[in-house]
Structure formats: structure tokens, C-alpha cells
Amino acid sequence: MSEAYANEAALVGAESNLYDRALDAAIALTVLSFLLGLLTLVKVVGLETAGGALADVFVWLTALGVGAVGIVAVANALGVVRVTSTRVRGIGVGLVVGLVVMAAIGTVLDVTLATLLGLVLLVEAGVVLGAGVASHQGVVDTEPSATPGLLAGGAFAIVGAIIGAALGGTFLSGLPFAFVGSALVGGLGLAAATILPREDLGSSLPVALLVGLLGLVVVTGTIDAGWTWSPGQTIDGDLTGGVVIPLFALLGSIVAGWGAAKARAGYGARGRQYGAFLTIYLNAILTVAVMVSIVAFVTMQGITYAVHGFSIGAVSALVLLTPALALALDWARTPAGTDDWHSGARQFLRVTPLAALGALVGLLGVVLVTGEAFEIPFTYTVWVNRSPEVLDTAVRVTPATTVGNLVLAVPGVFLVWFFLRRYGSLRGVGTVDDRVSTVERGVGLAAGLVALLVAVRVLPLPETVAVVPVWPLDALAGALALPFVWLAALATGGLVALALGSLLVGDGALAERAVERAQRVRVGLFGALVFLASALFLALAGGVNPSVGPANLVPVVAVLGAVVAVAVSSLTWLGRRAVADPDVTRICRKEGALAMAVAAGFVVVAALHVALRGVSFSMGPVTIDHGGTLSWPMAMEAYIPLGAEPGGIMPAVVGTVWLVVGAALFAVPLGVGAAVFLTEYAEQGRVTSVVEIATNALWSTPSIVFGLFGAAFLIPRLGGDESLMAGMLVLGFMLLPLVLITSREAIKSVPDQYRDASAALGVSQWETIKSVVVPASMPGVITGVILGVGRVAGETAPLILVLGSTLNATEAIDVLGGFQFTGTPPFVYNPTLLEASSALPTQVWAVIAAGVSGSPSMGWASALLLLMVVLSFYAVGIVARTYFRRKLDYE
């Protein structure tokens, strides 16, 4: 048994195989009951759910489980993710089987979810007890110790004392010392059952007694969903079945998982390690849930108002999930460690995000296949004429197959960046063909010519440039637009055909052709994307829009190019699976990443065509439209002054984003520059010490002081009115000291050996700082920026003084559209920056201060959206920090 656990390859025998599979299923069942306990504790699913409603719940849960396990299984079968642990595979299969069996039991027996949880606890207790007995009788080969130990006995003694006291106080309340006596009996009984027997029985018997007792209490209805217990006058409050039963499920799952994990590893040292790790992981989930309780509280208070009317098509949701799927696949592909006892746990953690996303994909797949929308109905409250009014709404995932151009373009840009990072470079690989070099130079010249024609048509040039009149160039650009677009489209098709044909046609194996003709693949893919992007902008500038039948030319070519690029990536994947040479595999992987980046680029071109032209484009059942199917009134609409429907707070979201961006643009360059000077150039002495003290004091200054400074000093010099620029500068001054402090510490942490090595090579001090010190310190600098952004994004007091407290703005500020160019200094100005704007912190304050002017739920919803904006900035910062850390590791 222990050898099978350690090597995770061959099992001892048929009995051991059955034993292991049963325990894998039991562990999966404990994880499943733990998650169900969490869902019922937060009332996502009611304990009294039964019949058809319970069957519907398990249908969706089964879809989630199948999607989660299925996507990991497919990735493993394709070699994208390696899952070598038999425990992880067994637990995955056990999760799906457990969901199906629970759905069948709940339907056939017509029981409530509470009773079903009790039955699950009884099954867990029976399996753990059976495993212990089988080990004790020698049916399977295990290595139990003489006793589980005093630590396990003490833990069970505490649990037994608590349960004994609760049972004695409930059922023997009329007898003297019932509370203390029952606590002693329960504690000593479980302690003795744990410590006295051999480890296999000592780890299974108390688990079976405890978990079985919890399950029996629930199954018999002693404690049901409507159960209530009042402790008496000493405690003001009641315990209800809606809280106790989920707690029973959580406790029983943790204890049963510990017992099953020990048995799965054959007891002994490995069993204790495996059991401890599984218990820690389950407790970690619970700890994380407790740590995010504040976020969850804000979410629960404002979620109904924040997501009122939210609706999204299943295809749009799938498109939005693609970046997360790419990141999850990348995380899951990372090696899980050595083949020792903890590799399975690491593999489980690495495939968990992928499994969670797969669960969502499974749910969306059910929506598309059945054609029935998935919705969560609820109500929310608004205030009309100072009176609350309850409105019905729902969060819906519809089977609509229309995708908005923005929904398609944003994930597409991310995927282009994601795959280009893995591409690196193919220059110098394979045979350098003169014709390929000529094509590459031709692509550059054609792109430059198109850029010139677009500039002539679009830029507001004067009537003459030197002695050459501009109007003939303008007319020539307009006349050449249509033929150039057609030529660019044909060139795109020819270049992608070159890339695909280079892999399909020729002698040798597929991997050999991929290496030998890497330059053809590179030039073909890159050139095709450049030509089609040029065709898009030239067609827009020239006012032409050629079509192929009923469809526009550019998106048709973009879709065909994306399909060919995916085919190229698939061929490189097949090629590298057929060889064992690491160099060939690396080159094929680079070509595959390049092909996927180009495919995503073609998708972005199609989305841009729809966005710039304002026309839809259909490819089979999927349609790219200007509007799309994503509807989120709270975040995408402005306030509606009249009517019961409250509209949204999109202007406040836009204002908050611009405030943070402006503050970062002001503070980050100054802070990093000052840190470089003080650390690398300035003489370390009293002056730098005074600057450091002053910086720390500035960071500790109350935010209201910054607001007073802005109101008294900045506003009179910025037109005399509250403005977005004043808010940016005030938040920038608040962000500056933290950026300076963290940047100095990050630069100081760069080892002096880096500087000495660079100086030994004859590199100047500035080149050393620019190329060595600053890149090495960048993760620490970004960490400081993340912390500072998290603070300034939620500041309210200074913004009230310099930005105002506009409540429910009806129009978002347009910063980009406000830029104007003149022929006199300052040449560029933006009057929009000198106007007041709404922001989420002031929105929250205004709603609360206004009282009946808005629904209390609107304040919570605004706080929730503010939290989401801050977390989004955090996510951007964390991704940037991870990128620089990986870049340092690779270099």
C-alpha cells in the first residue's frame, strides 16, 4: 500500500485497488459535502430544498463538476497539463460520481437537502470505519503505528466534550450536572477510542462515531431546517437548524476527510502527513472564507442593486473566460514538484483554477445546448417619492450567440500579449530564404505606404507642405484605397497559405519541416496580420468597404486567417508530440504560440471592423455586433433622473478610473526618479536622512490635510472651481511618498554585485541603473504602486474638497475626447480636466449623506463597484509584477 502511494503507479493487488478507489471516492465526497455545507451556510441553497427543486440544483452542480473534471481530463489527454497522481484522478472521478449519485438519491427518495447531507455523513463514516477494519484485519497492506498519538486523542477529546455538553444540555437539562457529566463522558470516550487501539482503528473508530452521530442527528430529524434552540436568559440569541446543520456538514467533512486521507496513504507517517495536508487545505478554504467576510458582507448588502438587470449571452461569457482559461492552463502546466507524497496535493492546487473555469464552461454549454436561459431571480429596493419600492429582477445567462465588439476585442488583445510573451523570437532558426527576406521587406514597405496614405486622408494637414500641395495626395489616397484594400486582402490570404503550406508540403517529418521552414511561418503569419490591419485602416480612411457577397471583405478574411493560424498551431503541436528532441520541441512551441497570437490578432481586427464601421458580422450561428448581449445597467448606464428604474453610476466609475490613472501618471515617474537619485547618486548623509524622515511623515499625514491643501492651493490656480485635475494632483501627492519609500527600498535590495559586475564590463553608471538596477527592482516598485493605488482609489475626504460630491451624474467625463491642439503654446490643452466629475468614493458618501435621495442599497452597490475597481487595479499590478519577476528569472 505504501509503495503504491509513494510511486502512484502500480497498486498492490485487486483488494488494494478497490480499497484505494473507495477511499478516493470518500475523499471526493468529503470535499463535496464541505462545499455543500458552505453553500447552505451562506444560504445560496436552502436546506429545505427537495423534489424537483433539489434535482435542478444537482443538475447544475453536476454540470459544474463535469465541466471542471472534463476540462482537466481533456488537457491531460492532450498533453497540455500533466496529472500523474492517481489520487487526483480518483478524486476527480469521485466528485462526478458523487454528484450523480446524490442527484439520484435526492430524486428517488424525495428527501430534503438537509437529510441528504446527513446521509452523506453516514456514508463517509461507514467508509472510514470499513477502511480501518479492513486494515486491522489484514485485508489490505498498510503500515499503521501502534497508536494515532496524544495529539489526535486530545483533538477528539475536545470535540467530544463539546458535542457531549451540547447533547447533555439539550436532552438532559433537568438532571444535575448533566452539562458537565455529558461533556466528560463525550470527551473521555472519544479520547479513549482514539488513543488505545492501533492507528487504523484509532483513526477510524472515533471518526465513525463522531461523523455518524452528526449524520444520525440530521437524518432522524432531531435537528432539521426548522429546529431552534434558545440557550436561555444568559445568552441573547437562538441557534437554528439553518446554521447547525451546515456546521455539522463542515465539521463532519473535515474529520471524515482526515480519516479517509490517512487510510488512503496506508496510515503511518505518510498517512499522518496526507491527512494533515487534506485537513489543512479544507481549513484553508474555510479560513479564506472568513478572511473575505468583510468583502462578502459588502457584496451581500449591495449585490442585488449592483447586478439588477444583469444579462449576458453564453457565447459572450465564453469569450470573456478565454483569458482566464489561458492563465489557468499556464498555471496548471507548471510542474507540480517531485514524485513524493505531496506531489498530488500540488497537482490538485494547480488544476483547481482550471477545474473551476471548466465548471463555468460546463454550465454555459448546458445553456447553449438546451437553449434555456440560466437565471437567478431576486428583488431589490429603490426609493420613489421617499418611499421604498421593491422591484423584481434576475441575473441571466441567455443562449444568445451575439458577441459585442468590445467583449471580443479586449480578450483578443490580452491573448495576443499572452501568446507573444511565449513566442520570444524565431530569427535565425531554420533556412533563411532570399525570397522570404524579400517578402518581409515588401511587407514593411507596404505597411509604411498604407500608413502614409492613411495619414494624408485623416490628419488635418495644412494646404501645402513646403512647396508641394496636399490635395493631389489626398485625391490619390482616396483613389487607391479600394484597390489597395483588395490587394492587402489577397496578400493576407497568400501569406497565411504560405505559413500553412510550409508545414503541410515537403519532405521529412512534420517537426523537421516546422524547424526548417520557421522563417516562412514567421513571415507568413506576421505579414498576413500586418496586411489585414493595414487594409482595415486604409478602408476606413478611404471611405470604402468592399464586400464578398453579403459579408464585408475584411472580417471574412480575418475569420479565415484566424482559422488557418489555429491550424498552424495545431500542426506544430502534433509535430512536437512526435519528437523527443528538446530543441525541436521548443521551436515548435514558439511557432504554435506565434500562430495563436496571430489568430487572436485576426479576431481583434474583425472586432475593430465592426466597431469602426458600426455594422454587424455573422459567421455561422455567431454574430459580432456593435452592442452585444452584455447588459449591466449599474456599471454601463448613467443615472436616470426620472422613473422607478434607477439606472447606473457609470460616470462615477469612469471618474474613479481617471483619478487613479492621473495620480499614477503624476506620482510614479517622480517617485521612482527621486528614489533612483537618492539611492544611486546622492551622497548618503544628513540630507538624505532628512528627506527620508520627511517622506515617512508625508505618508502618515491624514488625507483630509491633502484635501485642504488642494482646496486652498491648487483650486485657485486651476480656474477656481472643483475639477478632475485637482483631484488627480491631490491623490498624486498622497501616492508619491509611498512610491518613493517602496522604490528606495526595492533599489537598495538590488545586490551590489550587480553594479560591480556591470562596472567591471565598462558600462557607465547611468546604463547600469537603466539596464540592471531598475529592472531588478521593478517588482518591488510595482508592489508599492499597488499598495498606494489601493489607498488613494478609496479616499473620500480630500475628493469632497477638490472634486465635489456630484450625486448620480447623468454623463461621464470624456477626457480623451477633450484634448485640443493649437498652433500656439501650450499647443495641447484639455478643458475637460478642469471640470468637476463624479467618483465612486464621493458617490458612496453622497448617497449616505443624502438619505432619502437614493436607496440605501445604492450606497452598498456603489461601495461594491468601488471595491471591484480597486481589485481590478490590484490585478493589473500583480500581473505586471509577475511579468517582471519571470523576466528576471529567465534572464
Side-chain angles (χ1 to χ4, degrees), residues 236-476:
D236 186 14
D238 296 331
L239 287 177
T240 64
V243 174
V244 173
I245 294 177
L247 291 179
F248 279 7
L250 295 175
L251 176 61
S253 301
I254 292 174
V255 175
W258 174 79
K262 290 190 69 175
R264 175 64 172 86
Y267 301 103
R270 293 186 180 276
R272 287 191 291 272
Q273 290 171 335
Y274 189 21
F277 264 78
L278 184 63
T279 305
I280 289 170
Y281 290 144
L282 291 178
N283 278 283
I285 297 174
L286 190 60
T287 302
V288 170
V290 173
M291 291 175 62
V292 300
S293 59
I294 296 178
V295 177
F297 178 76
V298 175
T299 302
M300 294 303 294
Q301 293 292 325
I303 189 67
T304 56
Y305 194 100
V307 299
H308 70 270
F310 182 90
S311 177
I312 187 172
V315 175
S316 296
L318 287 172
V319 170
L320 291 176
L321 282 178
T322 51
L325 282 171
L327 293 174
L329 273 171
D330 188 53
W331 169 259
R333 291 179 60 184
T334 306
T338 57
D339 289 332
D340 54 12
W341 63 269
H342 60 273
S343 65
R346 289 187 176 183
Q347 289 181 21
F348 179 78
L349 288 179
R350 292 195 178 278
V351 301
T352 297
L354 182 61
L357 292 171
L360 294 178
V361 172
L363 186 147
L364 297 173
V366 171
V367 172
L368 288 174
V369 171
T370 62
E372 297 182 1
F374 172 82
E375 65 177 37
I376 304 175
F378 56 91
T379 61
Y380 67 105
T381 304
V382 297
W383 286 72
V384 179
N385 297 326
R386 300 191 176 185
S387 298
E389 182 175 336
V390 179
L391 301 177
D392 294 324
T393 187
V395 172
R396 295 182 179 87
V397 179
T398 67
T401 57
T402 301
V403 184
N405 54 75
L406 185 62
V407 170
L408 192 63
V410 173
V413 171
F414 174 85
L415 292 177
V416 170
W417 168 82
F418 178 83
F419 286 112
L420 282 181
R421 280 189 57 215
R422 280 144 187 80
Y423 159 63
S425 176
L426 285 174
R427 291 190 177 275
V429 177
T431 303
V432 180
D433 193 341
D434 292 337
R435 290 175 296 178
V436 174
S437 300
T438 303
V439 171
E440 187 175 9
R441 288 192 296 269
V443 170
L445 291 174
L449 178 60
V450 169
L452 176 62
L453 294 176
V454 171
V456 170
R457 293 285 296 179
V458 174
L459 294 180
L461 298 176
E463 290 298 326
T464 60
V465 178
V467 295
V468 180
V470 173
W471 66 265
L473 294 176
D474 186 32
L476 180 63

Side-chain angles (χ1 to χ4, degrees), residues 235 362 426 525 529 538 656 829 875:
I235 300 178
L426 285 174
L525 293 176
L529 184 58
L538 185 58
T656 301
Y829 73 99

Side-chain angles (χ1 to χ4, degrees), residues 731-768:
L731 295 184
F733 282 123
M734 293 179 61
L735 179 61
L736 179 60
L738 182 61
V739 174
L740 176 56
I741 294 169
T742 55
S743 299
R744 283 200 68 189
E745 295 300 324
I747 294 173
K748 286 180 180 179
S749 66
V750 177
D752 289 336
Q753 290 86 341
Y754 287 17
R755 301 175 177 85
D756 296 339
S758 182
L761 295 174
V763 180
S764 64
Q765 184 179 10
W766 167 242
E767 287 294 332
T768 300

Side-chain angles (χ1 to χ4, degrees), residues 87 113 141 226 238 250 265 336 546 568 668 775 806:
R87 287 168 294 165
L113 181 57
D141 182 18
D238 296 331
L250 295 175
V568 170
V668 173
T806 305

Side-chain angles (χ1 to χ4, degrees), residues 532-550:
L532 192 62
S534 302
L536 170 65
F537 291 107
L538 185 58
L540 185 68
V544 296
N545 189 17
S547 299
V548 179

Side-chain angles (χ1 to χ4, degrees), residues 56-141:
D56 291 339
V57 169
F58 275 103
V59 166
W60 292 111
L61 289 178
T62 304
L64 294 174
V66 171
V69 176
I71 194 170
V72 176
V74 170
N76 179 67
L78 295 177
V80 179
V81 176
R82 294 294 184 185
V83 181
T84 58
S85 172
T86 57
R87 287 168 294 165
V88 175
R89 296 177 180 179
I91 291 174
V93 175
L95 283 173
V96 176
V97 174
L99 284 168
V100 174
V101 172
M102 291 177 69
I105 293 175
T107 304
V108 173
L109 298 182
D110 193 21
V111 296
T112 63
L113 181 57
T115 305
L116 189 58
L117 285 175
L119 291 173
V120 170
L121 292 177
L122 290 177
V123 172
E124 293 171 358
V127 173
V128 174
L129 181 60
V133 172
S135 171
H136 191 269
Q137 296 299 320
V139 177
V140 291
D141 182 18

